[in-house]
């Protein structure tokens, strides 16, 4: 497994004239809803004509900086929703980075539209999603990190909920439930998960856009992976760290034909990723797999039987 040195990525940005740390985004005590550009379509609800009430931050806390990275490529149909769901959290100490891979579908125009509210953005060819995310985090200076893809979006009040959880529990890894939204059927599906225990770390289940972590435990993404980059990262990043499950939905993943998670044509890529992961033998021996899956099925039944999943 070859992991990149994010300091080298940062040095490349500095050579291009990018100032580090990035300039802080301005914060409005009255909220951004009336300050953002009008959305392309006159939609209603979150995050179109609603915002997190900025008054929820009006206390004496010194709110820690949170960095959000959005990798994107030709997702103009969803990108504005993603951007607005971040900005309309009205979080008082936000760093937001958009890494576009050279889109040709109108995405750049959307990014430019909101550029005054984005800490840094670029649109140029990259080596894939993992490379884009790594470049974004090389520029990050927040105390807490997350990335959200440009076809997903956060739910209302999530940043307040997550940061308060970090502060209260002193966890390094905070994660929650989510919704999947079928574009075709126009239906939401609520997705619950069990607590993320180190013993069951090989069981995929953590919902990527509903996951946040302390920058102090951050590690680079393995860029050779195409689909399972988050699953492999969690095994390195979260193991042995204090974790906290928020039993509420934090994000929405849009189900559409081009989404890797829902595209049936991507099955070979998923299989290829898992072969790479286990060939490295970096996460324990593969023969343990069936035994762990069996015990996890038992765990799921116990949680359901005693209502511990609620």
């Amino acid at each position: 497994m070859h992991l990149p040195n994010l300091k080298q990525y940062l040095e490349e940005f500095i050579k291009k004239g990018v100032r580090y740390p990035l300039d802080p985004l301005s914060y409005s005590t009255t909220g951004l809803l009336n300050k953002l550009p009008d959305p392309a379509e006159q939609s209603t609800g979150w995050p179109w004509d609603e915002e997190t009430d900025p008054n929820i931050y009006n206390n004496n806390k010194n709110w820690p900086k949170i960095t959000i990275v959005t990798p994107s490529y030709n997702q103009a149909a969803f990108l504005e929703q993603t951007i607005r769901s971040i900005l309309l959290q009205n979080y008082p100490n936000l760093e937001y980075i958009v890494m576009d891979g050279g889109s040709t579908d109108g995405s750049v125009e959307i990014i430019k539209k909101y550029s005054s509210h984005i800490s840094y953005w670029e649109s140029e060819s990259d080596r894939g999603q993992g490379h884009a995310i790594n470049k974004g985090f090389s520029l990050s200076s927040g105390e807490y990190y997350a990335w959200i893809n440009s076809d997903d979006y956060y739910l209302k009040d999530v940043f307040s909920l997550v940061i308060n959880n970090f502060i209260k529990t002193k966890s390094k890894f905070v994660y929650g439930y989510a919704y999947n939204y079928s574009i075709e059927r126009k239906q939401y599906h609520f997705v619950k998960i069990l607590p993320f225990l180190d013993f069951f770390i090989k069981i995929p289940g953590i919902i990527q856009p509903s996951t946040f972590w302390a920058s102090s435990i951050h590690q680079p993404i393995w860029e050779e992976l195409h689909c399972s980059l988050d699953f492999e990262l969690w095994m390195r990043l979260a193991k042995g760290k204090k974790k906290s499950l928020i039993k509420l939905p934090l994000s929405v993943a849009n189900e559409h034909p081009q989404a890797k998670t829902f595209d049936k044509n991507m099955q070979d890529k998923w299989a290829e990723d898992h072969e790479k992961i286990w060939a490295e033998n970096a996460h324990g021996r593969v023969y343990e797999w069936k035994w762990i899956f069996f015990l996890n099925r038992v765990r799921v039944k116990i949680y359901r039987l005693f209502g511990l999943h609620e």
Side-chain angles (χ1 to χ4, degrees):
M1 181 193 305
H2 174 71
L3 298 177
N5 185 340
L6 298 190
K7 290 184 179 179
Q8 292 180 352
Y9 288 170
L10 176 58
E11 290 171 1
E12 293 172 7
F13 279 116
I14 293 174
K15 287 179 182 177
K16 292 194 301 183
V18 178
R19 184 188 305 179
Y20 180 83
L22 301 171
D23 292 334
L25 290 172
S26 59
Y27 169 65
S28 172
T29 56
T30 58
L32 289 177
L33 183 60
N34 295 323
K35 298 176 177 63
L36 294 183
D38 292 332
E41 297 182 9
Q42 294 303 312
S43 301
T44 58
W46 173 263
W48 305 111
D49 61 359
E50 295 180 11
E51 64 182 335
T52 290
D53 183 355
N55 290 319
I56 67 174
Y57 301 109
N58 288 347
N59 56 34
N60 295 324
K61 286 183 181 177
N62 184 19
W63 294 100
K65 183 188 290 186
I66 182 171
T67 299
I68 307 295
V69 173
T70 294
S72 185
Y73 182 68
N74 285 343
Q75 295 285 359
F78 307 102
L79 179 58
E80 188 167 28
Q81 185 180 40
T82 305
I83 293 173
R84 292 180 69 89
S85 78
I86 293 164
L87 300 180
L88 289 174
Q89 301 287 334
N90 285 323
Y91 188 73
N93 198 359
L94 172 68
E95 184 174 67
Y96 183 35
I97 299 169
V98 179
M99 306 300 294
D100 182 81
S103 295
T104 58
D105 67 342
S107 293
V108 175
E109 287 71 24
I110 294 172
I111 298 169
K112 286 181 178 179
K113 178 177 171 181
Y114 291 91
S115 60
S116 62
H117 302 280
I118 296 174
S119 305
Y120 177 83
W121 73 272
E122 68 175 29
S123 181
E124 58 183 53
S125 180
D126 54 42
R127 298 192 296 270
Q129 184 185 17
H131 183 219
I133 297 168
N134 278 335
K135 288 200 301 178
F137 281 126
S138 76
L139 281 170
S140 301
S141 61
E143 188 174 342
Y144 298 104
Y145 284 177
W147 96 72
I148 188 162
N149 299 325
S150 53
D151 52 356
D152 302 331
Y153 65 96
Y154 291 118
L155 291 170
K156 192 176 180 181
D157 300 346
V158 161
F159 289 3
S160 170
L161 183 64
V162 167
I163 296 302
N164 275 300
N165 185 280
F166 272 117
I167 294 171
K168 180 180 178 180
T169 67
K170 301 190 184 306
S171 297
K172 298 293 186 181
F173 191 88
V174 172
Y175 57 109
Y177 300 158
Y179 290 106
N180 291 337
Y181 178 70
S182 171
I183 301 296
E184 179 181 346
R185 297 188 299 274
K186 299 188 183 304
Q187 292 179 342
Y188 288 93
H189 173 64
F190 185 32
V191 184
K192 288 184 178 181
I193 56 175
L194 296 181
F196 188 42
L197 305 179
D198 285 354
F199 182 81
F200 297 105
I201 207 165
K202 295 178 184 178
I203 307 295
I206 297 300
I207 303 166
Q208 181 270 311
S210 292
T211 303
F212 300 76
W213 58 96
S215 59
S216 60
I217 68 169
H218 183 68
Q219 296 186 33
I221 286 172
W222 185 10
E223 293 179 5
E224 291 180 24
L225 300 178
H226 187 79
C227 298
S228 298
L229 51 162
D230 53 330
F231 166 60
E232 193 280 328
L233 177 65
W234 307 149
M235 288 194 286
R236 284 185 284 117
L237 188 147
K239 188 173 183 178
K241 307 302 189 302
K242 185 174 181 180
K243 296 174 275 289
S244 178
L245 170 61
I246 296 177
K247 295 182 178 181
L248 291 169
L250 306 182
S251 66
V252 178
N254 285 303
E255 295 184 20
H256 61 93
Q258 288 73 44
K260 287 187 281 189
T261 306
F262 309 107
D263 186 352
K264 294 180 180 179
N265 296 322
M266 296 297 293
Q267 291 179 353
D268 289 344
K269 286 291 186 181
W270 285 100
E272 182 182 313
D273 276 5
H274 283 274
E275 286 181 8
K276 287 180 181 177
I277 291 170
W278 302 121
E280 287 289 329
N281 204 28
H283 304 293
R285 291 163 289 189
V286 180
Y287 74 80
E288 300 170 343
W289 185 271
K290 291 183 179 180
W291 174 241
I292 293 174
F293 261 90
F294 169 76
L295 291 177
N296 190 62
R297 286 197 298 270
V298 173
R299 180 172 75 127
V300 169
K301 290 181 179 179
I302 292 173
Y303 268 74
R304 287 176 177 168
L305 180 64
F306 292 98
L308 300 175
H309 209 246
E310 302 302 324

